[in-house]
Amino acid sequence: TQIVQKLGTAIKSFSPPVVLNGALSQIIVASKLTPNLKIKFIEETFKFEDGGSLKIELYPPNFYEMSNDAPVIFLLLGICGSTREKYPRVASKRASKLGYRTVIINKRGFARTTLTSPRMFHKDEVDDFNTVINHFQNKYPTANKYLIGTSQGSMYTIKYLVKYANTTPIKSAVS
């Protein structure tokens, strides 16, 4: 209840076309219709106090030159998701056209990075996400923050919102 009150909700019903009534058919058609964008993310290593690190990927290329109140979308991808996939590239490109920054938060040891601490990423752990989100909250305090989770990233989104319901700067989330 606290999450719904804090973040609000926009639930609409969805009825797929008869020929696209299953997830597999939707995935196949969407993969063929979605452009394969060649975009360049700003890749940075985000370091934690315990010596651990993860990769964040920022878009658009003028991320740091944008207005301080330009909204920020945090994208939490699935277990094997990376910016090599179409969907984070398409989402980031579309968001930038609307004036949004995108921050893709990868997990420790993922996205072609080396594990730099004994602490590995765990599927029930969302503290790293919170640390990164708070970093950008401190950097851009007046910007609205949004959170989008896809596949396993949806689970992280829900776990994050439950754990940090009373302190999150996230204005709205989609899981």
Side-chain angles (χ1 to χ4, degrees), residues 14-26 29:
F14 171 73
S15 299
V18 175
V19 294
L20 298 175
N21 63 356
L24 183 58
S25 62
Q26 292 173 22
V29 170

Side-chain angles (χ1 to χ4, degrees), residues 97-117:
K97 287 183 179 180
L98 297 172
Y100 290 77
R101 293 179 169 95
T102 303
V103 177
I104 296 174
I105 308 172
N106 295 290
K107 298 165 283 297
R108 292 181 187 222
F110 283 63
R112 301 169 305 280
T113 61
T114 302
L115 194 59
T116 58
S117 70

Side-chain angles (χ1 to χ4, degrees), residues 18-80:
V18 175
V19 294
L20 298 175
N21 63 356
L24 183 58
S25 62
Q26 292 173 22
I27 290 168
I28 291 169
V29 170
S31 71
K32 298 300 180 193
L33 296 178
T34 305
N36 191 8
L37 298 174
K38 304 276 189 218
I39 66 173
K40 182 83 172 135
F41 287 87
I42 300 168
E43 296 183 357
E44 295 182 358
T45 300
F46 190 93
K47 296 183 180 185
F48 297 96
E49 290 179 6
D50 67 357
S53 62
L54 56 74
K55 183 193 293 183
I56 57 174
E57 297 175 85
L58 313 173
Y59 194 81
N62 67 334
F63 186 95
Y64 290 113
E65 289 79 43
M66 295 175 76
S67 166
N68 282 343
D69 61 352
V72 181
I73 296 175
F74 297 97
L75 209 59
L76 304 182
L77 307 178
I79 188 70
C80 295

